[in-house]
Amino acid sequence: MPANLSPEYSDAEKEYKAAKTPDEKLLCLQKMLSAIPKHKGTEKMQADLKRRIAQSKEKQDAHSKKKGLSFRVKPEGGGQIALIGPPNSGKSALLNALTHAEPEIADYPFTTREPMPGMTLYKDLQIQLVDLPPVSADHCESFVFDNIRGSDGALVVLDLAASDPVSDLEQILELLDQKKIRLIPPEETPEVTETGEVSIRSILVFNKSDLDPDGELLELIKEMLEIPLPIEVVSTKVQDTLNTLPKKLFDLLHIIRVYSKHPGKPPDMDAPFSAPIGTTVLEFAALVHKDFAEHFKSARIWGSAKFDGQVVQKDHVLEDEDIVELSI
């Protein structure tokens, strides 16, 4: 099938060839991936672009480490989600409640001075949360925006009982807009525009719900909100309010869990691969090993196939919890 590349892709490719810095090249690669038509004829090109983007990010991380302390958190697990919020919104307490991380937690503002990662668990998949210093007009480090741009999703954490949480949110959106970062609902598709603007799937998290037992503050805030992001209401002091968050994080990432199986052996159900929704068998093979995509002969599927162990084509689209056996 011909690739039928769009003019937008061709323009991004020309920009890539003309790019001089690693940051410019990475931005162009992301624009190429966003613009490339999604069909069977471009599967290998999509996989190659994803590989080149990953390599580019790894090189930048390595370069940062050579220069000294890096404040860009290396992604781990099924995806990286940034915790964004004003001072004293309870981001650090939320990180502590959902992960084993132990950030400094205090009542005074700007307690968090550098990124603090932690891993939370959704079933058998680790998801990385990164608590960032506050986004505030008074003071905000540039690395905060670097981490947000590089994340797979964001939780905007607001204090439900603050004097004006709506104003806090508007200030955050304004500062993000200045850095060409746009927050979008989870169902929308992230893009990188020609001007370098990136969009991040996001959820609004109103924290400290224990201070609003009747929900009156929440209803008032909802009436004033103008941003179409979904809302989660939690309290780090009430565990029941946190129990559904891991599933929300998993859904925010738009990924599936896929398990590998060696011929004649049981599947490895302890360490799933995470892959974007819509991933094909061919793309999964490249995740398992870079040479598999070119050399594997057949694949058998347990899960989304019509029957267990069915032999499927390379363009078969995988679903969450599928088990895949690749034969070389």
Side-chain angles (χ1 to χ4, degrees):
M1 181 182 293
N4 294 327
L5 299 175
S6 64
E8 290 80 7
Y9 178 88
S10 299
D11 291 342
E13 188 175 37
K14 290 178 182 177
E15 290 179 23
Y16 174 78
K17 292 178 180 178
K20 296 180 180 180
T21 68
D23 286 340
E24 290 174 349
K25 289 182 179 294
L26 176 58
L27 178 60
C28 291
L29 286 172
Q30 291 172 328
K31 289 166 66 174
M32 289 163 65
L33 182 60
S34 176
I36 195 170
K38 306 300 191 293
H39 55 67
K40 185 176 180 180
T42 65
E43 285 179 345
K44 288 188 177 180
M45 294 179 66
Q46 291 180 58
D48 180 62
L49 284 171
K50 292 175 182 177
R51 177 183 58 79
R52 290 161 67 187
I53 288 171
Q55 289 179 342
S56 179
K57 289 181 177 179
E58 287 178 3
K59 287 181 180 178
Q60 289 192 15
D61 288 341
H63 181 65
S64 297
K65 289 178 180 178
K66 287 181 180 179
K67 292 196 300 182
L69 182 62
S70 172
F71 286 106
R72 174 71 178 96
V73 177
K74 181 180 179 180
E76 295 182 3
Q80 184 184 83
I81 296 177
L83 302 185
I84 307 170
N88 287 114
S89 61
K91 296 184 290 81
S92 298
L94 184 61
L95 180 76
N96 178 253
L98 292 174
T99 75
H100 294 296
E102 297 182 355
E104 183 179 353
I105 301 172
D107 293 331
Y108 55 83
F110 300 100
T111 308
T112 303
R113 294 178 292 275
E114 60 185 62
M116 168 68 76
M119 304 300 289
T120 192
L121 192 66
Y122 169 68
K123 294 186 177 180
D124 51 7
L125 182 71
Q126 297 278 355
I127 296 174
Q128 185 185 57
L129 300 179
V130 181
D131 181 22
L132 297 171
V135 175
S136 169
D138 294 331
H139 179 74
C140 192
E141 299 284 357
S142 60
F143 66 77
V144 171
F145 302 104
D146 292 338
N147 278 275
I148 297 172
R149 290 180 70 92
S151 67
D152 302 304
L155 297 185
V156 184
V157 184
L158 300 164
D159 182 351
L160 184 59
S163 58
D164 194 349
V166 175
S167 178
D168 290 339
L169 176 60
E170 290 173 347
Q171 184 179 92
I172 288 172
L173 295 176
E174 181 180 348
L175 292 170
L176 292 177
D177 183 65
Q178 292 174 10
K179 298 296 183 178
K180 297 184 177 181
I181 300 172
R182 185 167 62 94
L183 305 183
I184 60 173
E187 64 271 14
E188 292 189 13
T189 302
E191 296 179 335
V192 180
T193 69
E194 293 183 358
T195 62
E197 181 186 71
V198 299
S199 48
I200 309 292
R201 292 189 178 112
S202 307
I203 296 174
L204 292 181
V205 177
F206 284 98
N207 193 17
K208 306 181 185 180
S209 62
D210 55 296
L211 301 179
D212 183 33
D214 298 325
E216 295 179 358
L217 289 174
L218 179 63
E219 290 305 314
L220 180 63
I221 290 169
K222 284 182 176 180
E223 292 178 3
M224 295 186 289
L225 286 177
E226 297 182 356
I227 184 171
L229 296 181
I231 293 174
E232 291 293 318
V233 183
V234 304
S235 169
T236 56
K237 297 180 180 180
V238 184
Q239 180 60 42
D240 286 349
T241 67
L242 304 172
N243 292 338
T244 61
L245 262 186
K247 176 64 164 63
K248 300 290 184 181
L249 300 177
F250 177 76
D251 292 342
L252 181 65
L253 293 172
H254 281 235
I255 57 176
I256 58 174
R257 293 163 296 149
V258 184
Y259 305 87
S260 64
K261 179 183 182 302
H262 293 287
K265 296 183 179 180
D268 182 1
M269 303 301 292
D270 295 326
F273 287 85
S274 60
I277 291 175
T279 291
T280 63
V281 170
L282 179 65
E283 291 169 332
F284 173 71
L287 282 177
V288 176
H289 194 282
K290 62 181 180 180
D291 294 332
F292 277 19
E294 296 182 5
H295 301 298
F296 82 94
K297 297 178 181 178
S298 64
R300 300 173 66 198
I301 303 294
W302 286 258
S304 64
K306 293 182 180 179
F307 56 87
D308 284 348
Q310 180 184 359
V311 177
V312 297
Q313 299 296 317
K314 293 182 177 181
D315 61 352
H316 177 85
V317 177
L318 298 171
E319 296 183 11
D320 189 39
E321 296 188 281
D322 272 355
I323 298 170
V324 180
E325 178 183 281
L326 300 172
S327 297
I328 303 300

